[in-house]
Amino acid sequence: MCFVIVTSRSLLWSLLSIAVVLGHLIALGQPYWLIGESRSKYIGDHTNVTRPEGETSDQWSPSIGIFNSCRQLTKFYQLRLGLPDSIRCTIYTNNFSGIASGFWKASVVFYGIGFMLLSFVFCVAFISLCKRSICHKSIFTVSGFVQAVAGLFIIIALCLYPIGWGSESVKQVCGQDADPFQVGDCRIGWAYFTAMGSTVLLFVCSILSVQADISTSQDEIQDEINKGKSLICLFW
């Protein structure tokens, strides 16, 4: 018989664990890890060009992520014809070897390992509603350990990322002053902070998993099971 057991602490752990995975997924997919200074869309001898319909600003900011970037890709005649979306955000490489820096490649490897571990916890977060053990071990403590290990891998990835700021791709966005741990003319974007915040929350989940295990092992839970209930909710 399957028992669905929900407590406030186990539910909080599940929701935060899902939020962590989504946070890292959003951070990885965005090109806003480094954001360059604002630049004019209209350069050279074409400063008098009519602004395309729908354009609200003559300024744009290039940006770059681990494997994608936002750059001005259209030519002057496209602006003159009024074609929209003059800024393109695309993957700048189609293979692993094309990633901008060797340190970024290492960062992707460590981040990928951490994210795979988090994907495991993502699935476990749903299973934990009706299953309390894996291989005779508490499903929460196992998940908490996996989350801690994943957090260590992701921390390594986030520390390796700034070392790659001296690559040529970063210099194109941030200027020639860009070097390891020096962003040059850029600023750190919200995607990198999202990754950092999600990592902090990840360790909070790892600690909370202990409390989730305690809350689902209370005597009251066993009493409810003995009464024949299949859905047990204890919000304390």
Side-chain angles (χ1 to χ4, degrees):
M1 184 176 181
C2 179
F3 301 99
V4 177
I5 302 173
V6 180
T7 70
S8 57
R9 282 171 281 182
S10 67
L11 181 61
L12 179 60
W13 175 83
S14 297
L15 294 177
L16 288 180
S17 296
I18 294 171
V20 164
V21 175
L22 295 178
H24 281 295
L25 184 62
I26 291 171
L28 277 174
Q30 295 300 318
Y32 304 111
W33 287 56
L34 287 177
I35 301 176
E37 290 186 325
S38 295
R39 304 177 185 180
S40 174
K41 292 180 181 178
Y42 311 106
I43 58 177
D45 297 328
H46 308 296
T47 55
N48 293 323
V49 65
T50 302
R51 180 185 299 164
E53 184 179 355
E55 292 274 356
T56 59
S57 174
D58 293 341
Q59 301 295 317
W60 71 287
S61 295
S63 64
I64 186 169
I66 293 180
F67 49 82
N68 48 15
S69 63
C70 291
R71 298 189 181 187
Q72 177 82 26
L73 299 181
T74 56
K75 299 181 182 297
F76 166 75
Y77 72 87
Q78 290 178 294
L79 292 175
R80 190 172 183 179
L81 292 174
L83 296 178
D85 299 325
S86 57
I87 307 301
R88 295 288 190 271
C89 296
T90 59
I91 296 175
Y92 66 74
T93 178
N94 293 321
N95 53 70
F96 181 78
S97 61
I99 294 177
S101 165
F103 289 103
W104 285 14
K105 293 176 184 177
S107 180
V108 168
V109 170
F110 282 104
Y111 214 133
I113 295 172
F115 193 79
M116 285 191 293
L117 293 174
L118 289 183
S119 298
F120 164 77
V121 177
F122 181 85
C123 297
V124 169
F126 294 98
I127 298 174
S128 65
L129 293 175
C130 58
K131 188 175 179 63
R132 289 187 292 173
S133 63
I134 298 179
C135 299
H136 306 293
K137 300 291 184 181
S138 168
I139 196 170
F140 295 106
T141 54
V142 170
S143 298
F145 175 76
V146 172
Q147 286 176 321
V149 173
L152 292 176
F153 277 107
I154 293 176
I155 285 177
I156 294 173
L158 295 179
C159 290
L160 287 172
Y161 176 73
I163 305 177
W165 290 349
S167 66
E168 187 58 35
S169 295
V170 174
K171 288 181 181 292
Q172 292 176 5
V173 176
C174 303
Q176 295 303 311
D177 292 334
D179 279 311
F181 298 104
Q182 296 183 15
V183 293
D185 298 330
C186 287
R187 67 182 187 275
I188 299 175
W190 63 265
Y192 187 72
F193 288 118
T194 298
M196 293 177 63
S198 297
T199 304
V200 172
L201 191 59
L202 175 57
F203 285 102
V204 173
C205 288
S206 180
I207 296 172
L208 185 60
S209 66
V210 178
Q211 293 299 317
D213 179 45
I214 294 173
S215 69
T216 55
S217 302
Q218 299 177 80
D219 293 336
E220 290 85 349
I221 298 289
Q222 189 60 48
D223 291 340
E224 294 295 317
I225 293 176
N226 293 335
K227 293 177 182 178
K229 292 185 178 180
S230 57
L231 174 60
I232 304 168
C233 299
L234 294 177
F235 292 99
W236 65 77

